[in-house]
Every structure is written in structure tokens, then in C-alpha cells.
Amino acid sequence: MSELVPGGNMPLPGGILTLRVPGPFDVSALITDDSGKVRGDGDFVFYNQPTAPGARLQGEHLTIDPPRLRPGASRVTVVVSPADPAMPLGHLPAPTLHVSAPDGRHLARFTPPRPQRETLLLLAELYRRGTAWKLRALGQGYADGLAGIARDFGVEVTEDDAMPGTPPGATPGAAPGVARRTPPDGMPGAAPGGLPDTDGFLGLVNSARAAAGSPPVSLDARLTAAARAHASAMAARGLLGSESPDGISVYQRVTSAGYPYLTVGEHLVSGPRTPGEFVEYCLSAEQSRRTLCDPVFSQAGLAYVADGRSGDMYWTALWARPFSPAELSRTANEVIALTNAERTTAGLPPLSGDLLLTTAAQAHSADMVARAFYSHTSPDGSRPWDRAAAAGSTRRTIGENIACGQRSPAEVVRGWMNSPGHRANILKPDFTHIGIGLAGGGKAGTYWTQLFGG
């Protein structure tokens, strides 16, 4: 498999190619000829217009069959933008493009530099040379949004009120058929109160949370969509599991639904027939009750799907707190405070937060999510001290702890302290500074990094 850099290119095999960008992103594609312009609005493939001759978009997967593209097509430009229009692209992990051959072999991977002020990225392009097709990595930032890039590629953009025949949900100023997403609950433009509690689930949950002294949660459309996708996958298989046969975990479904989270929890259950029975089951054991009543969660999603063969009902409940820069900073500071409490108990001076170490730690957590690995060594071979130096740190002694799957600062610090090697880093007298990084959306949930310096 090739690791591409901006400007890098490679030949592509014949047949249907699959391009995937995991995470809280929307993927789009523009089909053009040698002029770089579309022939019409039908050459723009995106979430409200997911198919064109030779191209199909299904969630985070874009399939391209070059011979079946419309006549004259010689280039397909792949575009990525935030699934949540209110979330700046620079606040999300760097998107990673995965390219697979018709037989499923991984051909290439490309992670561009993390965006700054751009609203979307021209991620890559497939282009024809003679009868063969090649892939070029781009990573070019773009500041004018999806409608702006559509205009520049030749898609007609309506600037005044929507005309008759505009698809439902289209917004004035967007290209015909380029409907912007309706902001989900909790985002600008959402109706207050969230989704209606049509089956009584929310009332039961919030009653239990109130009894435990926890604030109420609201239903979120994105979490509900992710829960429905996972419950359907379990019902189709007739088996409970956090990961479906296609390798997609329940946590990845959350970010694929456009919900960047700070922390997430889940209940995966089969058997109950009603929401009341489901909530009763979740309250029957200490661990599941703790998840349902955890005060950190502010939003939830629920879905249940019957197995058509056995009639068993498969349930997925998701609990989350949405990501924000302020919450990220608060959580990182809590990890530092808990780490310093352990050092104080051991008679050691506290560690000071360090901006450069924080930058390197956050980049590593985001990279582990984006490139689907879990290691102190990145796929490009860089080690903790390399990443610290790349961030501008000049500290002479560097150490790193990583973890994945923990849902809170207390849980992750407790896990590190229960591991001799990680504990040794936390209690090393030579260390004087620390940076914390965390990113959600990977196969195991949240990925944590502690980077120490002295």
C-alpha cells in the first residue's frame, strides 16, 4: 500500500475503485472533462445527490467505475467537508483517504496536513492518461464552502430564493440540488428540545438520571441514526457486538453520522420488547446503570430492530457529550490534575502544562483515529520525541503514554496507574512538563495521549 504525500500520484487498476474517508466528514465528488468543468448539475455527487453514471456515494464510501463515467469525463475530484456545518474543519482530525482495489486490496492512503481556516479540502483526484487512470493526492484547502466550489467547477448556483422544483431542504444560495443539512438538535437552527420522545424512552431515562442526581439528556438525530445503523447490523447478523462484520465499530458509526464527540457510551442489548423493559434492563446491573446515569453525557440516541428470522429485538442506545474546543481543554486539564495528584501522593512536584507538547499529543491522538492504528510509532515511522520536536519542543527528555477506549479522565489515569510502565512515566522525577491529547471516532472509541517532557 502506498502512503501518498501532497502532489504524489500512482497508477490505478481497472475495475471499481472504493474511496473511503472515515470520521465526521461529508464526501463529495465533481466529475469533469479536460476543461476542469462539469457538464451539468448531474456531475456533482454529494449527500443529497448520491449517484451519477459510474459514481456512487454511500455514507463514507465513494465508489468510482471509470469506464462507466459519462462520455468525455476525464477527472473525478474528491472533496471533503465537515458533516456538521457548524463545526470548523480545523477543529476536526485531519481526514484520511483510503483507496481500495476491486478485490478489496488497500492501494493507497493519504492524510493531508490538518486544515486551518479552510471550510473544505480538495482531497484527491482521479484522472485519465490515455486509456489508464491515475490517482493524485491534493490536500488543497478551500475557503468558499460547498456552493462556492460547485460554482467554480461550473455547477449553476442560485443566489436568490429557491425556485419551484428545488429539492426539499435546499437553501437559497446553494447549487440546485445541493441541499445543506438541517442542523441537528443542539446546533444553530435546531428546534429547541431535540427529537420528540415518541416512545417514552427519554422520560424513563431522565427520571432515572434525576434519581441519581444527574442532569437530563436530550435525543439527538445523529446519535439516533448511528444507533439505528448499528442495531440493524446486529439484527441482520443475529448477534450482539460492538463491531459489525464489515469492521465498522459503533463508535465509528457515531462520527460517520456527523457527530464529533468528546466522550461516548453505549448499551447493546437483545431481548427487551419495549423501551420500558430496555431501561429496566439497563438499570439492573451496576455497570450499565452507571452508563445510563453518567452525568457527563448530555445527549442520547436509541434504536431497536427485530431479527426477521428469530423475532428477537436488537437495541442500541448511545450516550454522548459533543466535542467543543472548550470541552477538550477542560478534559485535558482534568487529566493533568489527576496525574499531578498521583505525583503529589508520591512526593513529586506537579507537572506544568506545555503548549508544544499538547500540540504533539493532540496530533498523535487524532492521527491514531484518522489512520486507524494504535502505537507509539506512527505509520510514517515517527516516535514520540520526533513528534515533540516537529511541534517545536526542545525538551531533552520525552516520554509518552497512550490508551484507547476509556471514557473519562479518571478512567484513563486509573488505567495508566495500574500499568507498571505507564505508572513509571507518570511518576518519573525527571519530567517537568506535560501535554494531553484525546480524539474520538476510532474503532475503540476515544484515543488518549500523555506526552511528558523534561
Side-chain angles (χ1 to χ4, degrees), residues 56-80:
R56 176 179 293 273
L57 178 64
Q58 294 178 295
E60 61 188 30
H61 294 81
L62 174 68
T63 55
I64 302 293
D65 188 358
R68 294 177 62 87
L69 294 171
R70 55 98 170 152
S74 59
R75 184 181 304 170
V76 179
T77 302
V78 181
V79 180
V80 66

Side-chain angles (χ1 to χ4, degrees), residues 78-254:
V78 181
V79 180
V80 66
S81 56
D84 179 352
M87 178 62 65
L89 193 59
H91 289 171
L92 299 175
T96 296
L97 174 69
H98 301 262
V99 183
S100 299
D103 60 4
R105 288 181 299 111
H106 297 298
L107 297 174
R109 181 166 55 196
F110 171 54
T111 303
R114 190 174 182 183
Q116 299 298 319
R117 298 179 180 273
E118 298 89 347
T119 58
L120 53 80
L121 286 176
L122 305 185
L123 195 55
E125 65 179 7
L126 285 71
Y127 62 99
R128 189 178 63 203
R129 283 293 179 266
T131 59
W133 283 78
K134 302 181 99 176
L135 172 73
R136 178 183 291 118
L138 298 177
Q140 177 185 340
Y142 200 91
D144 290 344
L146 204 55
I149 200 168
R151 182 192 298 110
D152 287 354
F153 274 73
V155 178
E156 183 180 352
V157 176
T158 304
E159 297 293 352
D160 47 13
D161 292 341
M163 301 298 291
T166 299
T171 303
V178 184
R180 296 176 183 154
R181 293 186 185 275
T182 301
D185 178 50
M187 305 308 299
L195 297 177
D197 184 20
T198 56
D199 53 15
F201 167 74
L202 195 61
L204 294 166
V205 165
N206 283 334
S207 176
R209 288 175 64 86
S214 298
V217 294
S218 61
L219 291 175
D220 182 89
R222 296 159 294 177
L223 291 175
T224 298
R228 184 176 301 111
H230 198 73
S232 297
M234 291 193 299
R237 189 182 181 191
L239 186 66
L240 289 173
S242 62
E243 187 176 312
S244 54
D246 57 6
I248 300 176
S249 78
V250 65
Y251 313 110
Q252 291 170 314
R253 293 189 193 279
V254 173

Side-chain angles (χ1 to χ4, degrees), residues 319-340:
W319 318 88
R321 188 175 194 88
F323 173 91
S324 72
E327 286 290 319
L328 176 65
S329 178
R330 181 193 62 78
T331 304
N333 287 337
E334 189 174 346
V335 174
I336 293 175
L338 291 168
T339 299
N340 281 335

